[in-house]
Amino acid sequence: MAILRLRTPGLPTEDFDVGARDAVTAYVALGANLGDAALALRQAIAAVKQLPLTQLTKTSSLYKTAPLETGASGEQRAPGGDYLNAVVEVQTLLTAPELLGELQRIELAAGRERPYINAPRTLDLDVLLYGSSTIESSQLTVPHPRMMQRAFVLVPLAEIAPALVSAAQLQAVAHQAIKRLEDLSLRA
């Protein structure tokens, strides 16, 4: 029997019996480069903490990176200001599509718009990994298809789950400028 402790704002904490299902460890990337990006990430982390059937278990430091896009001429700076990024680990009983739906709801609440590819964002939440699952659908691809190309994903992921990122993978993105910002308020 699996028991998940739920915390709902304004209500007492309760245990929820989910039968024989086991929670899945999932990793979510967070990024923002419009408005008060640090506040947007703090609010997103608070919202992730409140997701149903989900517990936030680890939060990386906050990182600052330049926006990137990959085109025919290779990797180059994308339009917009620098991003603030982080990665969180959750234990969830939500399916991967349900988790994605909840994350998109958080994005929308933060004013996320998608006017064009690689547009600056008030908030971007991506499912990086969902247990050991491989998922390819029109809505979701897991593992995230570009995570191994991005320092802003691999560096914070390596901070909270070092066994998931190799030294060679980190070396492959070492040319991408990334700066760790010490912000203990993001800790789970």
Side-chain angles (χ1 to χ4, degrees):
M1 174 188 311
I3 303 290
L4 188 69
R5 179 150 290 171
L6 296 179
R7 285 165 289 190
T8 304
L11 297 175
T13 298
E14 62 181 298
D15 290 338
F16 181 73
D17 178 0
V18 292
R21 289 181 8 192
D22 290 326
V24 173
T25 301
Y27 294 89
V28 176
L30 301 90
N33 73 336
L34 289 177
D36 187 339
L39 178 61
L41 294 185
R42 284 185 193 95
Q43 290 173 336
I45 289 169
V48 168
K49 285 182 180 180
Q50 300 304 318
L51 290 180
L53 303 177
T54 302
Q55 288 185 316
L56 181 74
T57 50
K58 293 181 185 174
T59 304
S60 76
S61 297
L62 188 65
Y63 291 85
K64 183 177 182 179
T65 60
L68 296 175
E69 65 184 2
T70 304
S73 60
E75 196 175 87
Q76 57 194 15
R77 186 177 172 98
D82 287 346
Y83 272 89
L84 295 184
N85 299 96
V87 171
V88 297
E89 176 189 88
V90 297
Q91 296 291 320
T92 188
L93 291 166
L94 298 174
T95 65
E98 289 169 339
L99 178 60
L100 176 64
E102 291 292 335
L103 296 176
Q104 289 175 338
R105 182 186 56 73
I106 294 169
E107 287 178 336
L108 286 174
R112 170 73 189 264
E113 296 178 358
R114 299 172 191 267
Y116 57 90
I117 193 165
N118 294 326
R121 298 168 178 101
T122 54
L123 183 62
D124 187 24
L125 302 174
D126 291 317
V127 178
L128 300 174
L129 299 166
Y130 184 83
S132 60
S133 297
T134 299
I135 303 166
E136 290 190 33
S137 74
S138 59
Q139 290 82 31
L140 180 63
T141 301
V142 174
H144 191 281
R146 291 171 303 284
M147 69 183 269
M148 295 304 172
Q149 302 166 1
R150 303 293 190 232
F152 65 78
V153 171
L154 292 180
V155 172
L157 179 60
E159 179 186 337
I160 63 171
L164 297 178
V165 182
S166 71
Q169 290 166 328
L170 288 171
Q171 183 60 38
V173 297
H175 65 283
Q176 296 174 8
I178 185 165
K179 180 181 179 184
R180 182 175 182 221
L181 304 176
E182 198 62 37
D183 190 344
L184 298 177
S185 66
L186 287 178
R187 296 284 172 204

